[in-house]
Amino acid sequence: MIARAQADYARCIDDDRLEQWPDFFVEDCLYKITTADSQRDGLEAGIVFANTRAMLRDRISALREANIYEKQAYRHVLGMPCVLDENAGGVRSETAFFVVRIMRDGTSDLFATGRYLDHYEIQNETALLKERIVVCDSSRIDTLLAIPL
Amino acid sequence: MTDVANRSAAASTPGPWPDTLTRVPFWAFQRDDVYAAEQSCVFRGAAWHYLCLEGDIPEPGDYRTTFVGDAPVIVARDSDGSVNAFENRCAHRGALICLDDKGKGKKDFACVYHAWTYNLKGDLTGVAFQKGMKGKGGMAPDFKLSDHGPRKLRVGRLHGLVFGTFSDETPELETYLGEEITSRIARVLKDRKPVVIGRYTQGLPNNWKLYVENVKDSYHASILHLFFTTFELNRLSQKGAIIVDESGGHHVSYSAIDRKAQTTNADYAQQKIRSDSQYKLADPTMLQGFDEFGDDVTLQILTVFPTFVLQQIQNAIAIRQVIPRSPTQTDLNWIILGYEDDTPDQRLVRLKQANLVGPAGFISMEDGCVGGFVQRGIAGAPDEQSVVQMGGDNAQSSESRVTEASIRGFWKAWRGLMGYRS
């Protein structure tokens, strides 16, 4: 179930169906992109921080309507989810990822590697994200981070 | 792409600098020899460079490593409480002395290569096998530890910020900044304890000066950054100004709520003259901040020549440190700040408003790519020039933000240090 949710999530972003991306989360959620250094040092502020699904929607409408950036796409490759804890409250898991960014001139770079620290809630046989902390291995982001990880 | 830019630039000879502040030859963003000259004239020249926060190294034995231009630097607090900065370069064969970003409880630094050892002031205190072994080898008898060491930086401290300079010529920090800039740093940091709540680096595909120009450029803000406009978040009328210091090199751009005009806006709303935007934030709490300065200033962007930025955008406070990596590569270190006495609610506001800035920032992600657009755009045009003429030809303060005065000021200060004459 977790593996399916992960695969659907990655396809959604890579297929540029970003409007559907917030639907992977519950309304009262936490989504944060941070770095391994910040995570280790306990620094709270992320590169992206959202504590409601509405903030995730705002991120997508800003990308579509307001922000300016060169055309680009991601290809997510995910490792097997490692289930850390499973109980009535949901499932905690950690999943390694890497993301290749493809620019309009064909340049394909390894844009980010890291791990998803997830807390899934199971609703009607579907796993929804209550929390996803995206911990990037590197503290350096090249140029800009527009599309979510 | 940028390699092409460099090759074509290197093929031509730089002409004389234009006899005006309103033109900037593009080779200044491309040439390896300009970059090398900047390292000695600007980064190791008579200018102050941000090193770290006092709060990064609160206790004796605490240290951080950073860069001043290309030069790696160690900043350390000694047992007497003093803050010292010196090159992260062993006096022996030049290896890095310290390989960590930060640390605590340090008594001394020992180079891993041959264990030459330095105290927290950067003085050479020991050389392994200085006397040789069994009476053989070792340093010459006239070798004196005190004759050797990494170069030290002068250190200037202001409201919790630590700056360093390699040059004896640099005026004292507060003189260098002048009263107007100093007072606006004080506005954000004086008598407050900033705490770092976030840290990351944005790699910029452009010359460092293109980023500095961008920060000083108030003309582009409402044109390139459409987040506020699209979501109609600038409902309150704003007033503001640009302050350029006498040297030209430092600036402050600010905007504040205009209480007089606000009434008029309310009138407009009542008359339903102003149409509602098609786009609304689904969660507007991101911008529901608090008034922490009591002066209605919603935005203050401050630069210290050449590469320090202090930002206040509502309650998003940050330091940006610009580190050149090559003629066409720059690292932008973001240091997101809160204050020690933030309430949990205030801290949450800062976490939300941090979304405005950084590589994924609603109002700053474009700044990450626009420098690259210029770098690529000018690839075949080293001898062409940019036009920096908005608001006249001087480098003075202005009540209008539709001006490029602070960019002209930057070039005035840069030319001064680089020795370029028209």
Side-chain angles (χ1 to χ4, degrees):
Chain A
M1 193 187 294
I2 300 299
R4 186 185 311 142
Q6 306 270 34
D8 286 346
Y9 178 101
R11 279 189 75 224
C12 173
I13 293 175
D14 295 354
D15 291 351
D16 192 30
R17 287 180 281 114
L18 298 180
E19 282 71 13
Q20 294 165 23
W21 170 67
D23 298 338
F24 289 95
F25 294 80
V26 300
E27 177 58 49
D28 180 21
C29 62
L30 176 67
Y31 174 79
K32 184 158 102 169
I33 300 180
T34 186
T35 70
D37 282 350
S38 290
Q39 182 79 356
R40 194 188 46 238
D41 293 346
L43 303 184
E44 308 164 84
I47 297 167
V48 171
F49 176 92
N51 64 352
T52 62
R53 191 165 56 193
M55 284 184 79
L56 300 177
R57 297 200 189 288
D58 287 339
R59 198 141 269 277
I60 300 310
S61 47
L63 284 181
R64 296 296 198 210
E65 308 299 338
N67 288 121
I68 291 164
Y69 53 97
E70 265 180 300
K71 193 178 159 215
Q72 52 189 273
Y74 288 169
R75 180 64 58 201
H76 281 71
V77 179
L78 306 186
M80 288 295 287
C82 175
V83 174
L84 305 174
D85 190 24
E86 200 172 354
N87 58 42
V91 178
R92 287 191 178 273
S93 65
E94 178 175 326
T95 308
F97 67 83
F98 70 76
V99 173
V100 175
R101 182 173 62 184
I102 304 96
M103 301 302 290
R104 69 183 171 95
D105 70 349
T107 305
S108 300
D109 288 319
L110 186 55
F111 178 59
T113 69
R115 58 207 160 104
Y116 293 134
L117 302 181
D118 293 332
H119 185 186
Y120 278 101
E121 220 173 83
I122 313 296
Q123 292 180 5
N124 308 321
E125 299 295 298
T126 309
L128 289 175
L129 284 164
K130 183 158 180 50
E131 184 177 301
R132 164 158 286 184
I133 312 291
V134 183
V135 183
C136 296
D137 295 326
S138 166
S139 293
R140 183 192 280 122
I141 302 288
D142 177 62
T143 308
L144 54 77
L145 192 160
I147 304 168
L149 290 170
Chain B
M1 242 172 292
T2 45
D3 289 341
V4 174
N6 280 337
R7 275 200 302 276
S8 56
S12 70
T13 336
W17 198 268
D19 186 22
T20 166
L21 290 174
T22 65
R23 295 292 185 275
V24 178
F26 289 132
W27 51 256
F29 303 107
Q30 298 172 322
R31 298 182 62 96
D32 289 341
D33 55 354
V34 171
Y35 184 85
E38 283 171 340
Q39 295 302 319
S40 59
C41 300
V42 176
F43 292 99
R44 296 192 300 277
W48 287 99
H49 303 274
Y50 172 77
L51 300 177
C52 67
L53 289 162
E54 296 251 9
D56 288 331
I57 46 167
E59 307 286 334
D62 291 352
Y63 68 92
R64 284 198 80 87
T65 55
T66 185
F67 291 88
V68 172
D70 286 341
V73 167
I74 299 172
V75 198
R77 194 178 293 271
D78 200 2
S79 50
D80 59 5
S82 65
V83 174
N84 307 279
F86 48 96
E87 277 180 296
N88 187 1
R89 172 185 66 83
C90 185
H92 177 213
R93 299 260 291 279
L96 291 169
I97 298 168
C98 178
L99 303 173
D100 294 317
D101 296 332
K102 61 185 165 83
K104 299 185 78 65
K106 204 79 170 167
K107 298 272 189 288
D108 50 37
F109 294 94
C111 177
V112 294
Y113 202 174
H114 304 90
W116 285 34
T117 304
Y118 303 88
N119 65 20
L120 297 174
K121 293 190 190 301
D123 302 321
L124 178 63
T125 53
V127 166
F129 303 117
Q130 186 179 350
K131 308 282 181 220
M133 279 180 88
K134 298 178 180 167
K136 296 206 165 85
M139 278 291 181
D142 62 350
F143 179 86
K144 278 209 205 89
L145 293 177
S146 57
D147 289 344
H148 302 268
R151 286 174 291 183
K152 294 179 180 179
L153 288 81
R154 286 165 58 208
V155 169
R157 296 152 70 171
L158 181 70
H159 302 314
L161 304 171
V162 179
F163 288 83
T165 180
F166 276 106
S167 169
D168 293 333
E169 310 288 309
T170 322
E172 291 301 312
L173 181 59
E174 287 196 40
T175 313
Y176 178 81
L177 295 172
E179 196 187 329
E180 281 190 300
I181 303 297
T182 304
S183 70
R184 280 160 182 88
I185 292 175
R187 175 179 168 271
V188 181
L189 294 173
K190 190 183 175 189
D191 299 332
R192 301 187 76 180
K193 279 222 163 116
V195 289
V196 176
I197 60 169
R199 218 186 258 283
Y200 43 79
T201 298
Q202 189 174 3
L204 304 175
N206 52 264
N207 186 274
W208 67 277
K209 299 188 293 300
L210 289 172
Y211 183 75
V212 176
E213 278 194 328
N214 172 275
V215 176
K216 288 171 175 281
D217 174 2
S218 51
Y219 173 35
H220 83 284
S222 62
I223 301 169
L224 177 66
H225 306 306
L226 296 176
F227 178 74
F228 279 113
T229 325
T230 303
F231 292 96
E232 283 218 347
L233 299 168
N234 261 338
R235 289 202 143 237
L236 300 179
S237 284
Q238 302 274 315
K239 57 181 180 182
I242 295 262
I243 299 162
V244 184
D245 85 306
E246 207 170 308
S247 76
H250 324 308
H251 103 292
V252 178
S253 169
Y254 71 90
S255 51
I257 298 165
D258 189 342
R259 295 272 168 199
K260 278 184 203 152
Q262 202 181 334
T263 333
T264 328
N265 266 10
D267 291 343
Y268 274 39
Q270 243 173 14
Q271 302 294 321
K272 297 194 191 300
I273 290 171
R274 182 187 273 268
S275 66
D276 279 324
S277 168
Q278 183 185 350
Y279 303 107
K280 286 256 188 314
L281 284 182
D283 185 347
T285 61
M286 182 175 72
L287 296 166
Q288 288 164 6
F290 54 98
D291 179 11
E292 61 181 314
F293 301 104
D295 57 7
D296 282 345
V297 173
T298 53
L299 176 140
Q300 175 183 289
I301 304 291
L302 179 151
T303 58
V304 173
F305 183 87
T307 49
F308 170 83
V309 183
L310 177 63
Q311 154 217 307
Q312 175 230 333
I313 302 172
Q314 303 189 4
N315 303 109
I317 317 290
I319 287 166
R320 309 178 201 164
Q321 180 191 28
V322 182
I323 312 272
R325 289 289 177 198
S326 80
T328 57
Q329 293 290 329
T330 301
D331 274 355
L332 182 61
N333 290 337
W334 290 86
I335 301 143
I336 312 293
L337 299 180
Y339 297 97
E340 203 175 57
D341 57 359
D342 282 347
T343 65
D345 285 349
Q346 290 173 336
R347 186 59 61 85
L348 183 60
V349 167
R350 296 198 203 282
L351 298 184
K352 288 186 182 186
Q353 293 192 354
N355 282 300
L356 295 171
V357 301
F362 285 126
I363 56 167
S364 74
M365 77 165 69
E366 289 92 3
D367 297 328
C369 60
V370 77
F373 297 166
V374 176
Q375 197 79 46
R376 283 149 58 190
I378 64 178
D383 297 321
E384 297 295 313
Q385 302 176 337
S386 73
V387 177
V388 192
Q389 211 161 357
M390 194 56 69
D393 59 3
N394 64 34
Q396 286 161 5
S397 299
S398 152
E399 273 179 32
S400 167
R401 279 166 298 161
V402 189
T403 177
E404 291 169 319
S406 53
I407 300 180
R408 290 189 289 274
F410 170 80
W411 289 106
K412 181 180 155 191
W414 184 88
R415 284 171 56 174
L417 284 186
M418 293 286 283
Y420 278 115
R421 305 277 176 265
S422 50

